[in-house]
Amino acid sequence: MAEITIVQAVNDALKEEMTRDDDVVVLGEDVGVNGGVFRCTADLHEMFGDDRVIDTPLSESGIIGAAIGMSLYGLKAVPEIQFSDFIWPAFDQITSELAKFRYRSGGQFTCPVVIRTPYGGGIRGGHYHSQSPEVYFTHTSGLVVVVPSDAYDAKGLLKAAIRSPDPVLFLEPKKIYRAPKMEVPDDDYVVEIGKAAVRREGTDFTITAYGAMVEVAMAACEKAAEKGWNGEVLDLRTLVPLDEESLIASVTKTGRLVTLQEAPKFCGFSSELSAIVAEKAIDVMEAPIKRVAGFDTPFPYTLEHVYMPHADRVLNAITEVMTY
Amino acid sequence: MTDVLQVLSEQGDIDNSLIPDLTEERMVELYRQMLTVRQLDTRMLNLQRQGRIGFYGTCKGQEAATVGSGAAVGPDDWVFPALREGGVLLLRGFDLDKYTAQLVGCALDPTHGRQMPCHFSSAEHNYVSLSSVIGTQINQAMGVGWAMKIKGDKNVCLGYMGDGATSSTDFHAALTFAAVHKVPTVFVCQNNQFAISVPFSKQTASNGIAIKAHAYGMPGVAVDGNDVLAVYKATQDAVARARAGDGPTLIEAITYRIEGHSSSDDASRYRDDAEVEMWKKRDPIERFRRYLTAAGLVDDSVVEEIATKVKNDVDAAIKAAEASPMPSVETIFTDVYAEMPAHLREQRDQTLNESGGGENEGAFPL
Ligand SMILES: Cc1ncc(C[n+]2csc(CCOP(=O)(O)OP(=O)(O)O)c2C)c(N)n1
């Protein structure tokens, strides 16, 4: 067992998968000699060389287009988009092309690309280094969207993604890239895609969260416990395909739901969760669903600590559902 | 490689046949501006190290390319900067206190601390708000130039970019459109040899950037980017062509990024100290000073005087910015739309009434 950060977990997963399978290649801006601006691809260039760890020119559409081509021809491309805020020049390649190859060719062509990209706030990066773009992609059929919240899952889910036959968008919560450290087994393991995890068992209310918001949900539950309310935290881990069963099971137990995301609220992923619960489990609900989210504004620089959902804001929502 | 325009040799000797049309006073003023940019860079990088600002990207080594090109356009012309052209805004008369306020992200900042440091914006100075997204501004600069042409104005637009940005798809569209429609936009590429860690040789296999212009159907000019007079001259010529209705030009200022990509970058991971040392010897400010001194435009005491004034001005501006409070919470919600819609009013009110709060933490890695 080694104690590692999420950055190290991503790096280990890449090393292990590249060692296991010669077809795995990594490409992107600054991923080679520099080892990635967040160091997620450190040492790979030395270990696997120029052909498999590729510093590309500055073009996201070039990076994803190349990855698609490589995958069509049998490589397993794992491109990095340096910040998810810079994924948009590749939006066309991802949504019109990558996501639709299997369908449009009647299953003849597939491109199981794994796009890794850091997302989210908490690093004082202003609007172009802080956004949470998940719903632009969860809205695109054909893409798998994964968001780990700790080192164990980051490693296990990334390995599962690389072995998956479908294209995966792998969103890495950069706020918690380096903390907290966590024990991770040395042996090969994968975490199954499409399964949520209960991080805290409770009976009074459910909080759904993913990525960096899981720790905020946990902290809010500690505060709620002081008031005698026992919360359950459901870490979604995979957004598409969603583990609906675990969501319904949890709200069936608690009857109350607070959803938590740092992306803007309007049409956010939580809106989908609310709709599913409303459609499939409204009869068990004892209070209206509350969504805690980023504001429907661009992400600010100086005031990011006000913008980002924090435990006190979540506690206010918990109080509302508990005192309804 | 195409010929590289040079007016001042590395020793500061001038080629009189190429000397641009600049008064002596203006030359000294350009020197002062270059020094201001350098002084800001030195101080701001230090403040960043002390945690007093969050991020900074210097112009160090590129002052001639920034100041020389920016000085060749007038107040009615427009400028689209990239990361390292803040000095152009100062040239256009922007208040130094507001400049440092943007870097600190305080209430004195006209953009309310909404953007990371170095992302200035001033409509009054026709200096368009910078986005971090590489390349987007190149097309927009083309569009502004096009509008100037449609409206029959004799203005021009400067569109800046780094060498990395020339790989973006926006670069291709911008140059294609601009040349077809003879748009009065001057594209200025600061080829500082790196896009973060990616060296120019991995950015393009082309023999330089200027040469790319020919295929698009516009003149391409390569210029010694550490020679302020050459950059000024190349830009002035391109601006004259654009104003005369002869269309766009692509200028490649060949220079070098002396510091890391930004305050968060460790350049020793990917480049040799020897190369940096070689470029330090080509310092654009020192080169210009040698010329100004030899030409009798300044002497040591004037140089000293300028340096002292620049230092004091920058110190005072930093003080003013640091004395200013944080922007108000209200500013998170304003300017999203012309009028604040109901759902934003609700979110604002809820936030203003909220107890507790998040922690102000985090450090930018890049
Ligand atoms: C579309 C996009 N992709 C990636 C980035 C991350 N990034 C920021 S600066 C930079 C390199 C820019 O290099 P260059 O254009 O040469 O300008 P320089 O910083 O050297 O002045 C990169 C890759 C970005 N800001 N935008």
Side-chain angles (χ1 to χ4, degrees), chain B residues 118-183:
Chain B
C118 304
H119 291 58
F120 307 99
S121 177
S122 181
E124 186 191 340
H125 299 92
N126 296 332
Y127 183 97
V128 182
S129 168
L130 168 67
S131 151
S132 308
V133 189
I134 297 288
T136 48
Q137 80 284 4
I138 316 173
N139 265 323
Q140 297 158 10
M142 173 269 291
V144 164
W146 202 346
M148 288 166 169
K149 184 183 171 192
I150 291 169
K151 289 194 163 211
D153 294 337
K154 285 289 163 212
N155 299 329
V156 304
C157 185
L158 276 190
Y160 285 99
M161 72 201 82
D163 43 293
T166 64
S167 298
S168 71
T169 44
D170 282 341
F171 173 83
H172 174 65
L175 271 74
T176 301
F177 283 39
V180 168
H181 292 278
K182 282 201 180 287
V183 164

Side-chain angles (χ1 to χ4, degrees), chain A residues 303 306, chain B residues 106-107 112 114 325-334 352:
Chain A
L303 296 176
V306 182
Chain B
C106 57
H112 313 297
R114 286 190 183 132
M326 270 198 195
S328 70
V329 168
E330 174 93 15
T331 62
I332 296 178
F333 302 93
T334 50
L352 290 172

Side-chain angles (χ1 to χ4, degrees), chain A residues 16-34:
Chain A
E16 289 176 21
E17 291 305 293
M18 291 184 83
T19 304
R20 185 187 61 79
D21 179 354
D22 286 345
D23 283 336
V24 178
V25 297
V26 163
L27 67 159
E29 293 153 11
D30 307 285
V31 300
V33 179
N34 194 38

Side-chain angles (χ1 to χ4, degrees), chain A residues 30 34 37-39 57-59 82-83 122-125 127-129 175 295-297 301-303 305 310 312-313, chain B residues 54 105 113-117 132 164 196-197 203 269 328 344 347 351 354 356-359 361-366:
Chain A
D30 307 285
N34 194 38
V37 299
F38 289 98
R39 317 292 302 134
L58 205 166
S59 169
Q82 199 165 87
F83 283 81
I123 63 153
R124 295 189 44 76
H127 12 269
Y128 298 113
H129 302 84
K175 178 176 196 276
F295 305 132
D296 290 308
T297 73
Y301 171 69
T302 303
L303 296 176
H305 58 290
H310 47 75
D312 288 323
R313 190 171 293 156
Chain B
R114 286 190 183 132
Q115 285 232 70
M116 283 176 84
S132 308
I196 308 186
S197 74
Q203 198 58 248
R269 280 208 294 260
S328 70
L344 285 189
Q347 290 175 16
T351 309
E354 185 172 76
E359 279 163 48
E361 55 175 1
F364 194 71
L366 198 161

